[in-house]
Amino acid sequence: MDKPRSRYLSVLGREFHITEWGEDAAPVLVMWHGLARTGRDFDTLAEHFSGRYRVICPDTLGRGLSGWSRAPTRDYTLAAYMKHAEAILDELGIGSMDWIGTSMGGALGMLLAAGPLRHRMKRLVMNDIGPSLNPFAVERIRAYVTQIPHFPTMAAFEDFLRLVYKPYGFQTDAEWRRMAETSARRRGDGRITVHYDPAVMRVFAASAGDYEIWTEYEGVRCPTLVLRGAESDLLLPEVAEEMTRRGPRARLVTIPGCGHAPCLNVPDQIAVIEDFLAE
C-alpha cells in the first residue's frame, strides 16, 4: 500500500489541495467528498485502492486546505465546482478516470459525466445522492451546516462530529480522530471550529435547487453505481429506484446500518465498489 501525498495546485487563480495515492502511471480514480467535508474522508478507501490506482482526493474550494473564495456566490456552486474539477484534472494531466463521489461529490460527478467529462469518465459511483433531493433532508442539512460551532477542546469537537456524522455508520476510534484532526481549524481566540468557509453553507442554503438535475442524469452514459444508506433521508428509496430505470440505468445497492452517507470504509462497502470497478 502506498502512503498519501499532499499536493497544492494553482488553477483558475485559486489554490487547491489534493491528497494523492498510488503510482502516477496507474489508472486514475477520483474520490470527491460531500458538502461540508474534505478529501481526507476517503483515506481508508483510497489506501485500499492505492495499489492499483492513482487515487486523487481533492478538497473542494472553501474546504480543508484549499483556498477560500473572495466571490463566494460565484465560486461555491455546482457550476463552479465543475470548472474547478476539470481544471484540476487537466493540470494533473489526467485523461480518463473512474469517479467516486459522496453526496455533493456524487452530484458533481454526475454533472461532469453528462457534460464536459462525458468522454473521459469511465465509471461513476454516486454515494447516497441522486438527481432529486428530499426537501426535508435539505432543511435538516441547512440547519446544521449554517451554524458554525466552536469548542474549547479537540475532545469536545470530536464528540460533536461523532454525533453529527453518526449516520455515516461504523468508524474506528482512529478514524473518528482522523476526521476530527482533518476537520478542525483554530479561531483567533484559540477555540476550535470547522474547517470550511462559512460562506460555502450560506450559498448552499440559497441554491439547493441546483441539485434538481434529472435532465443531466439522463445524459449520463457511463456505467453507474448508486449506493444508498438504508436509513438515508436525503436519497429517497423511490428516487433511487427511478435511477435504475432512467439515464444510465444505474445499479443500486442499499447499505445497511447507514444513513446519509455511508462512510465507504468497511469491507462489505469496499467490496461492492471493487466489484463494480472491476467490470
Side-chain angles (χ1 to χ4, degrees):
M1 296 288 186
D2 200 357
K3 296 300 181 184
R5 302 179 299 280
S6 186
R7 185 168 180 177
Y8 295 85
L9 301 176
S10 293
V11 296
L12 301 178
R14 298 157 184 84
E15 184 178 57
F16 294 89
H17 173 256
I18 65 170
T19 306
E20 193 170 7
W21 304 69
E23 299 296 328
D24 287 349
V28 172
L29 177 57
V30 176
M31 299 182 182
W32 208 291
H33 63 80
L35 177 69
R37 300 301 313 135
T38 82
R40 294 296 305 275
D41 281 8
F42 291 110
D43 275 13
T44 300
L45 187 65
E47 182 178 9
H48 176 83
F49 282 109
S50 65
R52 286 162 286 169
Y53 289 90
R54 178 186 180 189
V55 185
I56 307 294
C57 303
D59 292 345
T60 308
L61 193 72
R63 285 81 155 181
L65 297 176
S66 289
W68 289 15
S69 174
R70 295 182 178 180
T73 56
R74 179 192 66 199
D75 281 339
Y76 294 153
T77 64
L78 281 172
Y81 301 152
M82 290 172 65
K83 295 177 183 176
H84 301 163
E86 188 177 12
I88 288 169
L89 295 172
D90 289 345
E91 179 70 16
L92 292 172
I94 293 170
S96 63
M97 79 293 299
D98 295 328
W99 185 288
I100 299 172
T102 290
S103 195
M104 180 198 76
L108 177 59
M110 180 193 349
L111 291 169
L112 290 167
L117 298 185
R118 59 187 172 276
H119 300 303
R120 297 166 64 180
M121 196 176 297
K122 298 185 297 180
R123 298 175 191 84
L124 171 63
V125 179
M126 299 174 62
N127 183 25
D128 211 64
I129 190 74
S132 183
L133 307 182
N134 178 4
F136 295 103
V138 171
E139 288 306 312
R140 173 184 61 79
I141 294 169
R142 278 179 171 147
Y144 82 79
V145 299
T146 53
Q147 302 296 317
I148 306 302
H150 51 88
F151 304 89
T153 66
M154 280 295 294
F157 179 58
E158 182 178 324
D159 287 344
F160 165 77
L161 294 179
R162 284 175 180 257
L163 176 64
V164 170
Y165 292 105
K166 184 178 180 180
Y168 271 36
F170 172 79
Q171 293 196 78
T172 65
D173 287 343
E175 287 171 331
W176 282 116
R177 176 56 51 85
R178 183 179 66 210
M179 176 184 274
E181 291 179 345
T182 58
S183 300
R185 63 182 172 89
R186 293 276 181 182
R187 305 192 320 173
D189 61 2
R191 293 176 68 86
I192 297 161
T193 189
V194 289
H195 61 90
Y196 50 78
D197 181 351
V200 167
M201 306 313 162
R202 291 197 294 270
V203 174
F204 168 76
S207 60
D210 292 350
Y211 287 77
E212 297 299 313
I213 43 180
W214 272 113
T215 298
E216 290 80 0
Y217 178 75
E218 290 177 340
V220 175
R221 293 293 177 263
C222 65
T224 300
L225 171 66
V226 175
L227 305 175
R228 179 181 180 272
E231 301 163 19
S232 174
D233 64 346
L234 188 73
L235 177 57
L236 295 175
E238 55 268 31
V239 173
E241 289 291 344
E242 188 69 9
M243 294 172 74
T244 69
R245 297 187 288 269
R246 295 170 64 172
R249 297 180 179 176
R251 178 188 306 175
L252 172 62
V253 176
T254 300
I255 306 296
C258 298
H260 180 75
C263 198
L264 309 183
N265 64 324
V266 296
D268 289 352
Q269 296 173 25
I270 294 172
V272 170
I273 296 171
E274 188 157 27
D275 290 347
F276 174 72
L277 295 180
E279 293 179 354

